[in-house]
Amino acid sequence: MQFIDLQAQYQHLKARIDKRIHDVLDHGQYIMGPEVFELEEKLAEYVGVKHAITCANGTDALTLCMMVLDVKPGDAVFCPTFTFFATAEAIAFAGATPVFVDSDEDTFNICPKDLEKRIEHTLNEGKLNLKAIIAVDLFGLPANYPELERIAKKYNLKLIEDAAQGFGGSINGQRAGSFGDIATTSFFPAKPLGCYGDGGAVFTNNDEYAELLRSYRVHGKGTDKYDNVRIGVNSRLDTIQAAILLEKLEEFPNELESRNRLAKKYNHELQDIHHTPATPEGYISSWAQYTLVSEDRDEQMTEYREKGIPTMVYYHTCMHQQTAFSDLNYSDYDFPVASNLSKKVFSLPMHPYLR
């Protein structure tokens, strides 16, 4: 049994994907070829936003957001401590200060109550300029955007949705990638919508942001590619990956249905054994991971392994526990829920082709 079976997916889509790749080999436009722009149009349509701008990977997508929003040294950007490193890394890379926030005990996502407490504390301290919030759609479930958008408006903060794991999820019909001022996703192979290498995208309804993103991702170019009007980066999705994603996106609604059907079965079978994941009313998860909470994690993982069932832990180490952020002087007492989750969560196999 595979934890994520990309080979099974490829075999299902083989003829379509192979044709798409050969089309690229035939026309030879390997960088910013026509499939890239076709994909951007279809991504924007699927998510329900005006603009989708692809880039080299999900971390670059976050970095591009920092550039567009002019995040800089002296700024505070709030983000969950229970997340993958890239969320906080992009903040630090911009020279800003990540201010970590505890988790909601049921959904594992950023806790709005703790967020507002951290904002008030940072405001009262007066050392940092309040700039933005990054919310993560952890394990496929969108964060509590109705409440997060209220808080962002109250404190005049920009809201960034990190939908790297959440692509396909929704709240009352509004899809992940369309919340806040700007949103990102990753096409890392293990993500709900993944390519066969690295890739990412940024989503926004803001025309000015979209224009800046298209410039920043290609060395800050202007209308002439040899006239660079700002300092940018080199972060383009290659054409072959775009071609692969076009076929995967077409199949994605069926895969999302399979993921939710599997999660429902997991919940039914495991609810009396483990603390199973919560999906609030009106929410749909894309189930990037199916994550349980167990008081005896190591013992449970051993039992599954002995039955031939692979397991993984996301995440052993919170952001406030990372060596790179030790100078911020946080402790586990500052984030009791997230610190507890990092000791107890583990994930079971989750992919659309699991029998």
Side-chain angles (χ1 to χ4, degrees), residues 194-213:
C195 55
Y196 291 157
D198 251 328
V202 184
F203 304 97
T204 187
N205 285 312
N206 187 303
D207 296 339
E208 181 184 348
Y209 291 173
E211 184 179 353
L212 285 170
L213 286 163

Side-chain angles (χ1 to χ4, degrees), residues 294-354:
S294 176
E295 296 296 326
D296 52 353
R297 177 172 70 189
D298 292 345
E299 183 180 322
Q300 290 291 331
M301 290 177 70
T302 299
E303 287 185 18
Y304 279 110
R305 185 169 59 250
E306 289 173 350
K307 295 175 183 176
I309 301 169
T311 58
M312 298 283 286
V313 175
Y314 304 95
Y315 299 96
H316 279 290
T317 309
C318 294
M319 292 305 97
H320 72 274
Q321 298 165 332
Q322 299 279 350
T323 303
F325 296 123
S326 58
D327 61 327
L328 297 177
N329 297 314
Y330 287 113
S331 76
D332 288 356
Y333 294 105
D334 296 313
F335 310 98
V337 176
S339 299
N340 186 52
L341 289 173
S342 69
K343 297 171 185 173
K344 295 181 180 180
V345 295
F346 73 99
S347 301
L348 293 178
M350 170 56 78
H351 61 84
Y353 303 91
L354 186 62

Side-chain angles (χ1 to χ4, degrees), residues 115-116 119 131-133 145-160 180-181:
L115 170 63
E116 192 153 14
I119 292 171
K131 190 73 174 191
I133 302 162
Y145 289 104
E147 188 63 12
L148 294 173
E149 288 173 346
R150 181 194 68 77
I151 293 170
K153 185 176 181 181
K154 178 179 178 180
Y155 294 96
N156 195 29
L157 290 160
K158 296 297 183 183
L159 178 58
I160 303 156
D181 297 281

Side-chain angles (χ1 to χ4, degrees), residues 5 9 46 76 86 122 251:
D5 197 341
Q9 183 193 48
Y46 179 84
T122 305
E251 187 68 17

Side-chain angles (χ1 to χ4, degrees), residues 43-53 65 68-69 149 159 161 174-184 202-211 213-214:
L43 285 170
E45 181 182 0
Y46 179 84
V47 170
V49 294
K50 288 176 68 176
H51 306 283
I53 296 93
C65 288
V68 165
L69 297 177
E149 288 173 346
L159 178 58
E161 178 187 5
Q174 182 177 348
R175 283 187 169 138
S178 66
F179 295 101
D181 297 281
I182 196 166
T184 69
V202 184
F203 304 97
T204 187
N205 285 312
N206 187 303
D207 296 339
E208 181 184 348
Y209 291 173
E211 184 179 353
L213 286 163
R214 293 188 178 102

